[in-house]
Amino acid sequence: MTISVILSLIILTPIAKLFVNPMGINVIENFDGVTDLRLQAYSFYPNLGEGFSPCKYNNEGYSNLFDYENGMSIDVLLMGNSNILASNIIQKYSTANLLINLTYKKIYNIGMFKHYFATCAVNLKKAVEKYKPSEYIVLEIMSASFTDEELKNILSQKVEKVRVITSKETNKSDFVRSIYYRYVRPGLHKILTHSSVLNLIYTQLLALLKHNLNEKIISYEYSTSQNNPVLLSQVLKRMAETVKNFSHGAKLIIAYHPSVKLEKDGSLKILGNTEAVKIFAYACEQNGIYFVDLSERFLSEYKKNYTVPTGFFNTSIASGHMNKDGHRMFAEEIYKLMQKIEGDKN
């Protein structure tokens, strides 16, 4: 019995490696402030757990097919969360690389998981100072709805950093939590790191439990509040001024791609607060920021050929991260806007 288990683990480990390769072990803090985190330089992250991607990251730990050199001329800087990181699809089909093919511009992608609007807004100055894009900064968001507290935190630069949680960061007054983080979790992490099979089993069981318990994860991206027009305008004004003062004449584009849901009657529903999106779009316009809303594009593609922007062959349809079609639609809408902006200049 013991020998059979050992042999099974040996045989299944390289296969499971394709399905789950814990990105967390390659994540490090980014001290230059451009992003809160980055991946280790030249780290390799094969993924077949959600979509498929044999991603290899560049010398800075970002998802680009080329290395960044100090002083390199950048035309377009991409910012956003794990959707722009694009670890679920083959890299050549990501928004960044599709835009390179469409525009023939030098496009650099610093998308990173859990880097939602608030985090990117706070990091914008450092990012623009370092890369000095000459034409555009494209900021991807999944929600355009924010609470007063979230907007005030951005203005006061008090947005909590995205961090790798260590075993030391625990509430010492909570005995059970302390035991878990100090002793159980580090040991579990070591076991899962060295066994892709056990990691895969653990990941799938965790996903099943979350689904059955209907666990709701609260984040900046899923806020359902409407926007305070005054606070939102202050945030966007500061962002516009940052781009104006520290870039080489770049324009700021904020691109909103909402979550979607397939209804029982087979129709596609756009999730999100419609009124808040209108307020956000108007605030962008008032502050000289371009706003792209992919809602209608998602609906039209589904109506035309039943194409959905999220979900993969190995996950639920219309859920999770942007798939190959989602990235295509996203890139094409950004390209259309760029063409319009550049056409208006002529």
Side-chain angles (χ1 to χ4, degrees), residues 222-289:
Y222 299 101
S223 169
T224 57
S225 67
Q226 292 190 13
N227 296 316
N228 181 319
V230 175
L231 289 174
L232 179 60
S233 185
Q234 290 174 357
V235 168
L236 294 175
K237 180 181 179 181
R238 180 178 292 182
M239 294 173 69
E241 289 174 346
T242 295
V243 171
K244 180 180 179 180
N245 294 335
F246 297 99
S247 74
H248 287 166
K251 297 171 179 61
L252 178 58
I253 298 172
I254 298 180
Y256 165 66
H257 65 102
S259 297
V260 299
K261 177 185 177 183
L262 278 181
E263 299 285 56
K264 291 181 179 180
D265 62 3
S267 62
L268 188 72
K269 179 181 179 180
I270 299 294
L271 303 177
N273 189 320
T274 305
E275 187 60 32
V277 174
K278 290 179 182 178
I279 294 171
F280 194 96
Y282 180 75
C284 283
E285 182 182 352
Q286 293 301 301
N287 287 283
I289 297 171

Side-chain angles (χ1 to χ4, degrees), residues 58-106:
N58 74 352
N59 62 319
E60 289 199 309
Y62 297 124
S63 183
N64 296 280
L65 295 178
F66 59 91
D67 286 346
Y68 175 77
E69 299 175 4
N70 289 333
M72 178 181 284
S73 177
I74 300 295
D75 298 319
V76 182
L77 183 67
L78 280 183
M79 302 180 69
N81 63 33
S82 51
N83 281 286
I84 290 299
L85 176 65
S87 63
N88 309 93
I89 60 172
I90 295 174
Q91 282 171 295
K92 70 177 182 178
Y93 298 122
S94 70
T95 293
N97 289 291
L98 291 176
L99 279 173
I100 289 173
N101 294 333
L102 286 169
T103 65
Y104 300 102
K105 299 179 188 294
K106 192 75 168 183

Side-chain angles (χ1 to χ4, degrees), residues 21-214:
N21 183 9
M23 182 185 282
I25 65 174
N26 292 322
V27 175
I28 57 176
E29 186 175 351
N30 192 12
F31 294 103
D32 66 9
V34 169
T35 53
D36 292 354
L37 304 176
R38 64 180 177 85
L39 294 166
Q40 291 185 17
Y42 301 117
S43 56
F44 180 59
Y45 177 62
N47 169 39
L48 195 54
E50 184 190 7
F52 170 70
S53 175
C55 280
K56 182 178 179 181
Y57 298 91
N58 74 352
N59 62 319
E60 289 199 309
Y62 297 124
S63 183
N64 296 280
L65 295 178
F66 59 91
D67 286 346
Y68 175 77
E69 299 175 4
N70 289 333
M72 178 181 284
S73 177
I74 300 295
D75 298 319
V76 182
L77 183 67
L78 280 183
M79 302 180 69
N81 63 33
S82 51
N83 281 286
I84 290 299
L85 176 65
S87 63
N88 309 93
I89 60 172
I90 295 174
Q91 282 171 295
K92 70 177 182 178
Y93 298 122
S94 70
T95 293
N97 289 291
L98 291 176
L99 279 173
I100 289 173
N101 294 333
L102 286 169
T103 65
Y104 300 102
K105 299 179 188 294
K106 192 75 168 183
I107 294 171
Y108 196 67
N109 178 17
I110 59 170
M112 188 56 54
F113 61 88
K114 296 185 179 179
H115 280 53
Y116 305 125
F117 175 72
T119 299
C120 291
V122 170
N123 293 342
L124 181 63
K125 182 174 180 289
K126 291 289 186 181
V128 175
E129 279 183 321
K130 177 175 180 178
Y131 297 109
K132 292 183 169 54
S134 59
E135 297 188 32
Y136 302 98
I137 296 103
V138 179
L139 172 54
E140 167 260 350
I141 61 173
M142 286 178 62
S143 171
S145 307
F146 305 97
T147 65
D148 287 6
E149 182 181 4
E150 290 168 347
L151 296 173
K152 288 176 181 177
N153 285 342
I154 295 172
L155 290 169
S156 61
Q157 303 287 293
K158 291 181 180 178
V159 174
E160 186 176 352
K161 289 285 185 181
V162 183
R163 296 175 295 132
V164 180
I165 298 176
T166 67
S167 59
K168 294 180 180 178
E169 295 175 309
T170 179
N171 182 357
K172 293 181 180 180
S173 64
D174 185 337
F175 180 73
V176 175
R177 182 181 172 90
S178 179
I179 291 296
Y180 172 75
Y181 277 100
R182 287 176 180 273
Y183 303 108
V184 178
R185 181 168 170 166
L188 183 63
H189 182 268
K190 288 181 181 179
I191 293 172
L192 295 179
T193 298
H194 291 92
S195 175
S196 297
V197 177
L198 295 179
N199 201 330
L200 178 58
I201 294 171
Y202 170 78
T203 302
Q204 295 302 316
L205 284 174
L206 194 62
L208 181 62
L209 283 171
K210 285 183 178 180
H211 176 74
N212 289 340
L213 293 173
N214 194 26

